[in-house]
């Protein structure tokens, strides 16, 4: 029997809590295949290269892209992960969309296109939907744009043998009958003595003196709170929509793309799948390409049937890989997260302009004895499984501190690095840090030109 991951799947260096939990639960990983070459597909043209991020050959475009990536990482470091609203330029950055930043910062359309791809695949929202401050905060919490985007040494480096669902399953096994499935909470009511009564959709009732909510915050809207949540929380949860994604798995008889020297990764500027990765099992069984259909591309495909999506995606693979074999899958499976009632979309919520500065403070703020977890409330790898674990452990310690059994200064301790997972530095090289921006180069060349013209004029006139 095979398995496939329709939701969170990849784990990488610096995601130390998920690595620790995996060890504790006896789970192991395998490496995502990136041995052969990747493909960058744009406007019908294919370029093959080694690694995850496509190299740029045109020196002017290189300077442009280098400058934007370097600037985003540098700006991100100026945004405190636990208080992004306190960054010096918070109001300015939270008043603009990522699209506005890209239009201002990129000289070339291909640089802008790379940035649009990076934003939509990292956040499953379009750049015009997201506040630039929230993007910078997300990048900082995910340890930089390269760490987040890369396979080797990045967030997509490894997968769980047997699937990521085992994390929840094995924790649930330990908790036994205390885990109640298919019991959505519909009401949280505080009683006269301060306890809470939780009512589920099937009209079961549970009594608690502390509550941790790990429900995506946008979905808190569907739960009735008595007394009602504070005004800023009520407003926040109306303003953080979940991202849009369909995760697709297309299975083939063999991993034939490897015979052509391709590892299975394509970054595509056009077509339904923004990014695909080889999902063949480590023993070579179930040859498969995993494809992410995100943001507007996902919304556009929502009106089609799975069978139509399968055909569209296979056709896209034929064009982007340049291999006609992709038209003949042996199986196709997908998960449209937008139709998942109790998720509302994925990977996480996207923050439009104005939200983080005006409402960010209440993301984690407890309400009475109700504490808030969930990956969007994390400060480290927010939007990822790592963030969900950090937030869950933080909320659990907040409860213990309220009960007097945990030191309040130890609510969110730094997680030690996993000794078995190398986290080699990933970021701009010294040369990349020193290269001028295109604007600076043009200014320098015009000053240089003016100096030469003056020297010539001085000599001959
Ligand atoms: C397609 C996809 C790919 C992803 N890829 C990766 C990846 O490769 N690596 C990675 O680290 N992360 C990835 N993620 C993100 C990762 O899955 C999330 O960050 C993580 O699951 C968030 O955990 P959470 O506990 O905060 O929320 P969820 O996992 O969303 O859990 C929230 C839970 O709350 C339940 N719930 C909702 N409403 C109620 C209610 N009223 N009452 C009771 N329960 C309720 C839901 O059913 C759900 O079980 C991916 C996500 C998706 C969808």
């Amino acid at each position: 029997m095979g398995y496939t991951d329709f939701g969170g799947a990849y784990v990488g260096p610096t995601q130390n809590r998920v690595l620790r939990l995996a060890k504790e639960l006896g789970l192991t990983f395998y490496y995502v295949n990136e041995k052969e070459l990747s493909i960058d597909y744009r406007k019908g043209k294919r370029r093959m290269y080694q690694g995850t991020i496509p190299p740029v050959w045109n020196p002017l475009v290189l300077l442009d892209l280098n400058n934007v990536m370097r600037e985003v990482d540098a700006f991100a470091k100026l945004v405190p992960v636990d208080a992004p609203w306190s960054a010096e330029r918070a109001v300015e950055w939270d008043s603009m969309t990522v699209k506005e930043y890209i239009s201002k910062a990129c000289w070339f359309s291909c640089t802008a296109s790379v940035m649009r791809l990076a934003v939509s695949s990292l956040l499953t929202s379009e750049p015009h939907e997201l506040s630039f401050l929230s993007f910078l905060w997300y990048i900082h919490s995910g340890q930089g744009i390269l760490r987040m985007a890369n396979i080797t040494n990045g967030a997509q480096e490894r997968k769980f043998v047997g699937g990521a669902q085992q994390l929840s399953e094995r924790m649930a096994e330990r908790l036994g009958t205390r885990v109640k499935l298919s019991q959505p909470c519909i009401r949280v009511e505080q009683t006269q003595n301060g306890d809470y009564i939780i009512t589920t959709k099937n009209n079961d009732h549970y009594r608690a003196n502390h509550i941790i909510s790990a429900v995506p915050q946008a979905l808190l809207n569907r739960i009735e709170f008595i007394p009602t949540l504070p005004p800023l929380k009520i407003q926040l949860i109306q303003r953080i929509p979940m991202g849009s994604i369909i995760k697709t798995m297309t299975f083939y008889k063999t991993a034939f793309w490897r015979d052509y020297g391709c590892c299975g990764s394509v970054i595509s500027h056009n077509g339904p799948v923004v990014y695909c990765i080889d999902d063949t099992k480590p023993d070579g069984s179930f040859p498969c390409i995993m494809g992410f259909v995100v943001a507007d591309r996902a919304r556009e495909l929502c009106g089609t049937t799975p069978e139509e999506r399968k055909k569209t995606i296979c056709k896209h693979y034929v064009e982007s890989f340049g291999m006609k074999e992709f038209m003949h899958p042996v199986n196709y499976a997908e998960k449209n997260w937008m139709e998942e009632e109790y998720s509302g979309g994925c990977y996480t919520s996207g923050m439009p302009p104005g939200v983080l500065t005006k409402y960010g403070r209440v993301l984690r703020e407890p309400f009475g004895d109700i504490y808030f977890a969930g990956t969007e409330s994390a400060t480290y790898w927010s939007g990822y499984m790592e963030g969900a674990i950090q937030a869950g452990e933080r909320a659990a310690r907040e409860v213990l501190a309220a009960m007097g059994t945990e030191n309040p200064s130890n609510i969110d301790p730094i997680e030690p690095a996993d000794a078995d997972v190398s986290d080699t530095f990933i970021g701009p090289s010294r040369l990349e840090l020193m290269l001028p921006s295109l604007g600076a180069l043009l200014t320098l060349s015009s000053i240089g030109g003016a100096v030469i013209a003056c020297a010539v004029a001085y000599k001959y006139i």
Side-chain angles (χ1 to χ4, degrees), residues 62-126:
L62 174 69
L63 287 185
D64 198 24
L65 186 62
N66 178 60
N67 179 55
V68 179
M69 303 264 280
R70 181 179 61 188
E71 187 169 82
V72 164
D73 268 342
F75 283 174
K77 286 193 184 125
L78 300 175
V79 176
V81 280
D82 54 348
W85 50 87
S86 67
E88 207 177 313
R89 295 175 70 182
V91 173
E92 175 197 344
W93 285 337
D94 204 28
S95 309
M96 67 199 273
T97 63
V98 183
K99 182 183 175 189
E100 284 171 291
Y101 169 74
I102 292 175
S103 317
K104 273 192 203 150
C106 300
W107 286 66
F108 293 104
S109 63
C110 49
T111 317
S113 179
V114 170
M115 287 308 289
R116 279 195 299 273
L117 280 186
V119 175
S120 63
S121 46
L122 289 176
L123 270 145
T124 60
S125 293
E126 293 295 335

Side-chain angles (χ1 to χ4, degrees), residues 189-231:
E189 183 172 2
Q190 194 166 27
T191 62
Q192 294 289 339
N193 69 6
D195 281 358
Y196 295 91
I197 304 288
I198 295 162
T199 307
T200 64
K201 203 171 172 181
N202 18 349
N203 214 23
D204 282 347
H205 303 282
Y206 298 91
R207 186 178 280 271
N209 42 26
H210 295 86
I211 294 178
I212 295 175
S213 165
V215 169
Q217 300 222 357
L219 301 189
L220 288 176
N221 242 328
R222 303 180 50 182
I223 300 175
E224 183 187 13
F225 286 89
I226 304 168
T228 53
L229 291 171

Side-chain angles (χ1 to χ4, degrees), residues 5-12 15 18 124 138 155-156 158 180 183-186 200 214-216 219-220 222-223 242 245-247 292 335 337 340-343 345-348 373-377 381-389 391:
D5 285 298
F6 281 125
Y10 302 101
V11 175
Q15 298 184 345
V18 71
T124 60
Y138 197 71
Q156 285 68 237
R158 48 188 76 205
K180 309 284 176 200
Q183 296 229 31
C185 164
I186 57 165
T200 64
V215 169
L219 301 189
L220 288 176
R222 303 180 50 182
I223 300 175
M242 300 301 286
I245 183 163
I246 307 175
K247 187 169 178 179
F292 283 134
K335 174 84 185 165
W337 284 91
E340 189 60 29
E341 192 181 356
Y342 293 104
S343 298
C346 269
Y347 320 120
T348 183
T375 195
E376 69 274 27
S377 73
W381 285 100
S382 177
Y384 291 74
M385 293 183 275
E386 172 73 15
I389 297 167

